Amino acid sequence: MMGKTKTIVGLLALVAFSSACSFSRMASDITSDIFKAGSPIIEEESDIEVSEQAGLAMMKTLEVFHRHNPGNKNYLLLLSKSYATYGFGFLENRMLQYRQSDPEQYRLYETRAKLFYTRGKQYALRYLEKKNRGLLEAMEKGLEPLRQELAGLKQKDVESLFWLALNWGNYINLTKDEVKSVSDLAIVETIMKRITELNPDFFYGGPNLFYGVYYASRPPMLGGNPEEAKKHFEKAEGATKGKFLMVYAIEAQFLAVQMQDKALFEGLLSKIEDASVDVLPEQRLANVLAKERARLLRSQIDSYF
């Protein structure tokens, strides 16, 4: 009788534990929806320092919840996006700030940017591991199997693919001298090409902005093409009718400098300086960061031309 009692008590304890775990997971899933709905608050912020600190805090909080609930896709996507946007908006601006004045600080922020892009890429890959393992396997087999797998994807797949490609592409842009980056770029370009086919205006013209940098940041002998870059920058600008000011900053930084077109460089920076950050309220922070980048680029104009 005592043995049966212990067995029943054990079963009840197991049921209680399972119920507690289920409840905890359900609460975490609900919280992920809240994070997803509330994350635009940071993108609407106009204070760079507040946003920079809040962004780091949010990423660490998301990682705590992800550790507890690793299968939740909201955490994975939010983390991938957060690392990409923080790295490009804050860390690369700091790199630009110290490009001439303090090589040690420049290398510090460059290392951090690489780390952030690596983490963002890893979270995007974890998402694909759970939701589309076939795509991961295709990446390892070669470009043609990858193209075939990508051909079957739909609009709903764009978000995860975009943050994977953006983190990966930004990392490659900081490691152009590494042999692996050359081969990886072909994978990223193949993924971004499919995104462009599905939704070229995703995230304020992000796919075309990627291609603008892709063609502008390399010399012609390595695939650079200023005319193609210009077309993609124009398409990216058209996605928001010029309201996403970071397009102009990136075009100035990459295309105008590569073409050694000082008039274009100054004209693009003037567009940013003359615009209000409130022209696109949902991306106020990006516009504030674009203004900061424009200021930094203008202050270093003599080193570019």
Side-chain angles (χ1 to χ4, degrees), residues 28-44:
S28 177
D29 288 338
I30 293 172
T31 302
S32 77
D33 291 332
I34 295 172
F35 271 117
K36 184 177 181 180
S39 61
I41 290 176
I42 291 181
E43 296 174 353
E44 296 168 3

Side-chain angles (χ1 to χ4, degrees), residues 162-213:
F162 179 77
W163 297 119
L164 168 64
L166 189 62
N167 276 294
W168 204 344
N170 285 349
Y171 178 86
I172 290 170
N173 202 43
L174 297 180
T175 57
K176 293 176 182 176
D177 296 333
E178 296 181 10
V179 176
K180 191 174 187 309
S181 289
V182 176
S183 58
D184 283 355
L185 182 58
I187 297 174
V188 175
E189 193 276 330
T190 300
I191 294 172
M192 196 62 83
K193 181 178 180 181
R194 181 56 177 152
I195 295 172
T196 304
E197 294 169 350
L198 290 169
N199 187 356
D201 292 339
F202 181 78
F203 198 71
Y204 311 96
N208 277 304
L209 195 53
F210 167 88
Y211 272 109
V213 175

Side-chain angles (χ1 to χ4, degrees), residues 206-218 225-226 228-233 236 250-251 254-255:
N208 277 304
L209 195 53
F210 167 88
Y211 272 109
V213 175
Y214 177 82
Y215 286 114
S217 61
R218 294 175 294 163
N225 188 325
E228 281 298 311
K230 184 65 176 176
K231 291 178 185 177
H232 284 287
F233 280 123
I250 297 172
E251 185 176 356
F254 291 95
L255 180 60

Side-chain angles (χ1 to χ4, degrees), residues 65-105:
F65 279 96
H66 165 67
R67 178 72 65 88
H68 171 71
N69 189 359
N72 183 284
K73 67 178 183 178
N74 285 340
Y75 293 129
L76 291 168
L77 289 176
L78 284 170
L79 281 164
S80 185
K81 175 183 177 181
S82 296
Y83 274 111
T85 54
Y86 190 97
F88 188 80
F90 294 108
L91 300 181
E92 291 209 34
N93 271 18
R94 296 290 82 74
M95 287 170 58
L96 190 59
Q97 177 183 348
Y98 293 112
R99 186 178 73 92
Q100 290 182 294
S101 62
D102 194 330
E104 186 175 343
Q105 283 294 307

